[in-house]
Amino acid sequence: ASEFTGVGYATDPETDASLRILADHSRASAFLIADGVIPSNEGRGYVLRKIIRRALRHGKAAAAGKAWDQGEPELTFGIMPALARTVTDEMVGAYPELREQAARIGRVLEEEERRFRRTVELGLRKLDTDLEPLITEKKQVQDWFGKQYSGEKAFRVYDTYGLPRDFIEDVVRDAGLEVDWAGFDRAMQEQRTQSKASWKGAHKEVAKPVYTKLQETHKTELDFYFGTRTRDSRIEAIVKDGQLVNEIPRGAEAEVILDRTTIYAESGGQVADRGAFYNDSESLKVADVQGAYYPVSGLVAHRVVANEDLRLHDRVTVVADPERRARDMRNHTATHLLHAALRNILGTHVKQAGSLVAPDHLRFDFSHFAQVDPSELAEIEQQVNEEIVKDLELRTDIMSIDEALSSGALAFFGDKYPEANVRVVTISDSTWPRGFYSKELCGGTHVARSGEIGIVKITSESSTAAGVRRIDAISGDRGLAEYQRALTTLRSAASLLNTNEEELLSAIERQLETTRQLEKQLDALKRKSAGSQAHDLLEGVRKVKDVSVVAAEVSGVDRENLRQMVDTLRQKIGSGVVVLASTDDGKVALITGVTKDLTPKVHAGKIVQEIAKMVGGSGGGRPDLAEAGGKDPSGVDQALASVYPLIERML
């Protein structure tokens, strides 16, 4: 850090502190990125972003002003990647994964430094905009009472634009003003309170007190790993509008807690089951289950609509929609296969950054710093489907977290796992070195064998944030339906071009080439027609105070050829004004040209601006050439007629 900033260590307590922070934060950043964390605006990614930006600010402080706001590139680009390389060299013996991730760590840090520079530039502009009215008021008012810069606005610049607090203080002080720091602190505290609920690993909503109380005496036993039907479940609690009730009438909505359930509650990216409650004989459906979730740990709340009166302690048979469950299982196992293929083909730096397992599709977010090449996507898809064809066995084991990690199971940084009784899902494959293709900690539902998935088809690959990519895919019957739809489209296209599927691309290329040739011929005809019309228009030249003026409407001419006609006419008349109009599909195009010798008196932009009003439009341009558009073709004649008196006034 000392070498990079050009400041000696042990020379000044303040710069020494900044150098130590640079060293500490570069270590933290390198390890966080190696663990799959990407800078972002929430959760652990936000912590990483704050660490990097704090380090950059102290780089500025240590270098005594040699920073991005002073235009010094050595601290803008390179300080954190350079320090991360030192971290790798110093610690690679104990942490060999640093060497594996070194290139990626450098790319992430370089991008974040660039992002910070852009952010700070925007923040400074925003701060200047905020301060401008206060500075103006201070100059105009003799008795200035020290009005402060709003703390709420200062925090917005700090939080939204990432402008450091000391920057804000310096700029405001230089303007002769003060910041309402008390208001700033209040806004910061409010933001911290709101952000706690969104932290990854915490529930999105604060648990309702009624569920916190129920948690002390009740627990829902989970049967969804063993099938889609649970008999003789007991209603332990009914919650309506946040309050415990003893019953709900037919047609009412409520949340129901059971002692046992086969309804999968939304978690781990997998959406909740839907299903129904029946009476014990299953002859009568007593409620529709529209979803389920964990209001607190250990309890499953079923969102139900009652078909019959439901009472506390009633016994019901719980049935999950088996078709929906089967689709969820296929997509969840496909997600594990996809994750393994991504790591095999792109590299072990790939880490899960979020997922969605739904009946109709799956979505997988992962850390990767570049767009996945189409050839790589094809290879990933191919590898996944090869594992499906092998019809591999899936095994679920219950073990401690330490046993799971030592066995090679993947866990996700930032997720919370219990010390004991974690579920480890293994897709066995003896052809891979460790004897399995995939092994992850997972609480979701899965197929028994990979062959049940049928097929996986990647539908898209995109970016969701800096360093995070997203793959969407489909499987099973949805994959088959997509294949059939695509094949039908392919055959229809081939039929239209009177060819077969194998020759379709060649036929399309021939068709495109024919189209291009026809377009060239059409353009040539348009130019010829425009030239012919230009020749005819010369016969209609009128004199306005000895100045030649052409004002006319032309047909069948696009805007580009209209410009060429104006240029042609200006050259032919030598000295004068040309105003042409054309209409197409209810839209009006106006172009005005003035020869150079007349521009001191006649301004093309002013002419077109004035006549554009008559066709319901507006426009403008240079003194020698200007354009306008309008939406009222009925005003074209009036607009052209007004050109002559308008030029006469200018002359």
Side-chain angles (χ1 to χ4, degrees):
S2 174
E3 284 180 17
F4 202 90
T5 58
V7 176
Y9 186 63
T11 58
D12 180 274
E14 289 189 6
T15 55
D16 285 355
S18 290
L19 294 175
R20 287 195 295 271
I21 286 170
L22 277 169
D24 176 85
H25 286 18
S26 63
R27 280 196 300 270
S29 300
F31 277 98
L32 283 166
I33 296 167
D35 274 334
V37 182
I38 295 295
S40 68
N41 288 328
E42 61 182 15
R44 55 186 184 261
Y46 184 62
V47 174
L48 174 59
R49 175 161 284 169
K50 297 286 280 187
I51 287 171
I52 295 171
R53 292 185 173 186
R54 186 167 188 260
L56 292 171
R57 295 205 307 272
H58 280 276
K60 168 189 179 294
K66 297 179 186 175
W68 28 262
D69 65 320
Q70 301 289 326
E72 291 289 339
E74 64 267 28
L75 282 181
T76 305
F77 300 106
I79 184 167
M80 292 299 284
L83 293 175
R85 286 192 291 273
T86 304
V87 171
T88 299
D89 293 341
E90 292 287 335
M91 311 193 86
V92 70
Y95 302 96
E97 64 269 24
L98 286 174
R99 181 73 71 200
E100 298 171 7
Q101 304 290 336
R104 180 170 165 274
I105 292 168
R107 289 197 301 270
V108 171
L109 290 171
E110 286 172 6
E111 176 61 26
E112 189 61 18
E113 287 192 6
R114 291 190 185 95
R115 187 181 298 272
F116 188 37
R117 178 188 176 95
R118 293 194 297 268
T119 298
V120 167
E121 288 173 348
L122 289 171
L124 286 171
R125 286 202 292 270
K126 172 63 176 171
L127 183 57
D128 288 341
T129 301
D130 284 352
L131 293 177
E132 187 175 350
L134 286 174
I135 295 171
T136 302
E137 185 179 352
K138 184 177 180 182
K139 290 178 180 177
Q140 294 174 345
V141 178
Q142 291 183 345
D143 297 326
W144 177 256
F145 296 105
K147 185 181 288 187
Q148 294 179 311
Y149 175 47
S150 164
E152 185 178 342
K153 289 184 177 180
F155 178 73
R156 191 179 302 124
V157 173
Y158 167 86
D159 189 58
T160 304
Y161 295 89
L163 198 63
R165 180 169 173 156
D166 57 338
F167 273 37
I168 297 172
E169 188 168 21
D170 289 346
V171 173
V172 174
R173 184 175 59 245
D174 290 346
L177 304 170
E178 294 179 352
V179 180
D180 174 18
W181 290 117
F184 180 96
D185 293 337
R186 284 194 300 272
M188 176 178 284
Q189 185 57 46
E190 183 179 345
Q191 193 266 359
R192 284 174 176 168
T193 301
Q194 293 173 349
S195 68
K196 283 182 181 178
S198 67
W199 186 272
K200 186 171 175 64
H203 198 280
K204 292 182 180 178
E205 300 174 358
V206 176
K208 296 174 183 176
V210 63
Y211 288 119
T212 305
K213 188 70 175 174
L214 283 170
Q215 188 183 31
E216 298 173 3
T217 54
H218 294 78
K219 184 177 181 180
T220 305
E221 186 178 339
L222 307 178
D223 286 353
F224 44 72
Y225 294 118
F226 313 109
T228 57
R229 176 179 275 96
T230 296
R231 298 181 184 276
D232 200 32
S233 292
R234 186 168 113 143
I235 296 178
E236 298 288 350
I238 302 173
V239 178
K240 177 73 172 172
D241 299 327
Q243 302 295 322
L244 287 172
V245 296
N246 291 324
E247 62 179 324
I248 53 171
R250 177 189 300 183
E253 298 182 15
E255 294 180 356
V256 173
I257 303 294
L258 302 175
D259 63 340
R260 297 165 58 235
T261 186
T262 193
I263 298 290
Y264 183 87
E266 181 176 350
S267 62
Q270 182 173 331
V271 300
D273 283 336
R274 292 182 181 175
F277 294 168
Y278 292 86
N279 62 1
D280 275 348
S281 65
E282 297 188 40
S283 60
L284 180 65
K285 183 165 69 171
V286 297
D288 286 305
V289 180
Q290 298 182 330
Y293 72 104
Y294 294 96
V296 291
S297 177
L299 288 182
V300 174
H302 303 75
R303 297 186 176 98
V304 306
V305 178
N307 295 331
E308 302 291 338
D309 295 346
L310 287 180
R311 297 177 181 82
L312 192 64
H313 301 152
D314 279 355
R315 298 278 179 172
V316 295
T317 294
V318 186
V319 179
D321 180 343
E323 188 174 329
R324 179 184 173 92
R325 169 75 67 80
R327 289 190 173 115
D328 287 340
M329 291 163 64
R330 287 195 290 265
N331 280 333
H332 205 149
T333 305
T335 300
H336 284 220
L337 290 171
L338 183 61
H339 190 188
L342 285 164
R343 289 171 61 84
N344 290 337
I345 292 165
L346 300 183
T348 55
H349 66 276
V350 168
K351 301 284 195 307
Q352 179 173 327
S355 67
L356 173 69
V357 176
D360 59 341
H361 75 291
L362 66 91
R363 187 175 71 215
F364 189 77
D365 295 348
F366 58 97
S367 55
H368 188 56
F369 220 73
Q371 181 179 358
V372 183
D373 188 84
S375 63
E376 292 173 325
L377 278 179
E379 189 178 354
I380 291 162
E381 185 177 279
Q382 178 69 23
Q383 189 175 112
V384 168
N385 283 288
E386 286 174 356
E387 298 301 306
I388 291 172
V389 170
K390 291 177 183 178
D391 195 27
L392 303 168
E393 179 189 6
L394 268 78
R395 189 180 72 250
T396 300
D397 300 299
I398 311 297
M399 58 184 77
S400 71
I401 184 69
D402 289 337
E403 289 172 332
L405 296 177
S406 63
S407 73
L410 288 178
F412 304 114
F413 183 90
D415 286 358
K416 295 181 179 180
Y417 300 100
E419 291 296 321
N421 299 327
V422 297
R423 298 179 65 84
V424 178
V425 177
T426 304
I427 303 176
S428 303
D429 187 347
S430 59
T431 63
W432 288 85
R434 293 186 295 177
F436 59 82
Y437 183 73
S438 167
K439 183 179 261 191
E440 295 187 16
L441 277 72
C442 180
T445 58
H446 291 270
V447 298
R449 304 189 71 89
S450 65
E452 296 175 33
I453 299 171
I455 187 173
V456 168
K457 177 63 184 173
I458 295 173
T459 56
S460 69
E461 189 273 345
S462 59
S463 171
T464 63
V468 179
R469 308 296 301 181
R470 168 173 292 175
I471 281 181
D472 286 277
I474 53 179
S475 72
D477 54 350
R478 176 87 191 278
L480 176 60
E482 179 64 17
Y483 164 75
Q484 291 172 332
R485 185 198 65 78
L487 185 59
T488 300
T489 302
L490 183 69
R491 287 174 174 169
S492 298
S495 176
L496 286 172
L497 294 174
N498 197 28
T499 186
N500 55 44
E501 293 103 272
E502 290 76 14
E503 299 294 327
L504 180 59
L505 282 178
S506 298
I508 290 174
E509 289 173 356
R510 289 194 298 272
Q511 192 72 25
L512 288 173
E513 181 59 32
T514 300
T515 301
R516 282 192 287 267
Q517 293 298 327
L518 289 172
E519 286 175 347
K520 288 180 181 178
Q521 293 175 22
L522 181 60
D523 286 340
L525 288 172
K526 285 181 177 179
R527 286 193 296 271
K528 185 176 180 180
S529 173
S532 175
Q533 289 191 61
H535 178 75
D536 293 341
L537 290 173
L538 286 174
E539 298 178 1
V541 172
R542 287 174 54 178
K543 293 287 186 178
V544 177
K545 292 187 175 179
D546 294 329
V547 171
S548 298
V549 178
V550 176
E553 180 180 3
V554 293
S555 59
V557 178
D558 58 21
R559 189 177 285 268
E560 180 61 33
N561 282 310
L562 202 62
R563 292 191 197 98
Q564 292 179 3
M565 285 183 69
V566 169
D567 287 339
T568 299
L569 288 168
R570 279 193 302 181
Q571 292 172 8
K572 289 187 177 296
I573 62 177
S575 175
V577 180
V578 179
V579 181
L580 298 183
S582 70
T583 59
D584 180 37
D585 195 23
K587 296 179 181 179
V588 180
L590 294 170
I591 300 182
T592 298
V594 178
T595 54
K596 294 288 186 182
D597 61 311
L598 296 175
T599 52
K601 295 180 180 180
V602 181
H603 194 292
K606 292 180 180 179
I607 294 174
V608 83
Q609 191 174 29
E610 188 67 28
I611 65 174
K613 298 175 184 177
M614 302 175 192
V615 293
S618 60
R622 306 191 308 267
D624 62 323
L625 186 67
E627 299 184 23
K631 296 177 287 186
D632 182 11
S634 65
V636 169
D637 290 342
Q638 180 187 358
L640 294 173
S642 67
V643 168
Y644 302 104
L646 180 59
I647 293 174
E648 188 172 8
R649 289 197 300 272
M650 289 181 173
L651 293 171

